Amino acid sequence: MIGRLNHVAIAVPNLAAAMAVYRDGLGATVSDPVPLTEHGVTVVFVELPNSKVELMEPLGDASPIASFLERNPGGGVHHICFEVSDIRAAVATLQAAGARAIGGGEPRTGAHGKPVVFLHPKDFLGTLIELEEA
Ligand code: CO
């Protein structure tokens, strides 16, 4: 069902400092920040030869990563994203097997402008999983 690893997302308290870690410390190519108002985060993408790292900083008062950063003040891995060819079919299969999709499994438009669904970490070894149709 799942295909390529699309990205690993890391929640950070300070995006500029996080960008410097990857750009200056690790020598990676880092995109310009993109504010995603409807998702409550500002993101940059670290381009790797085989995948991406997404660095996310809270945006606005009701950011969905605010409580994560309260538990992990220095930042931490927030979710991993796998590509699927048909997101509705993938979610239907997983839900039929008992997995919980956040928001009922209705796809939303993600950071790359493609449909995404998040799966509950309690069903996937403590890891929040994002599926992206690609
Ligand atoms: Co993501």
Side-chain angles (χ1 to χ4, degrees):
M1 179 190 296
I2 59 170
R4 289 182 66 245
L5 175 67
N6 185 277
H7 61 270
V8 174
I10 301 175
V12 302
N14 182 315
L15 194 56
M19 290 169 71
V21 168
Y22 273 86
R23 187 186 54 223
D24 305 333
L26 295 171
T29 300
V30 181
S31 77
D32 290 330
V34 180
L36 300 172
T37 310
E38 71 273 29
H39 292 281
V41 291
T42 301
V43 301
V44 300
F45 295 101
V46 179
E47 297 292 340
L48 304 174
N50 64 342
S51 195
K52 293 184 283 287
V53 174
E54 181 180 330
L55 305 174
M56 311 185 294
E57 178 186 65
L59 174 64
D61 295 333
S63 175
I65 64 170
S67 62
F68 179 90
L69 282 169
E70 279 172 22
R71 297 192 303 275
N72 305 275
V77 174
H78 183 267
H79 66 266
I80 60 177
C81 177
F82 298 117
E83 296 180 359
V84 293
S85 57
D86 183 336
I87 197 163
R88 288 183 185 277
V91 170
T93 299
L94 291 163
Q95 286 179 321
R100 288 163 287 182
I102 289 165
E106 186 59 28
R108 298 171 63 198
T109 301
H112 309 112
K114 294 177 178 169
V116 303
V117 169
F118 285 89
L119 303 172
H120 202 291
K122 285 191 175 153
D123 295 327
F124 295 96
L125 312 171
T127 305
L128 179 62
I129 289 182
E130 179 181 20
L131 300 178
E132 179 176 304
E133 190 166 277

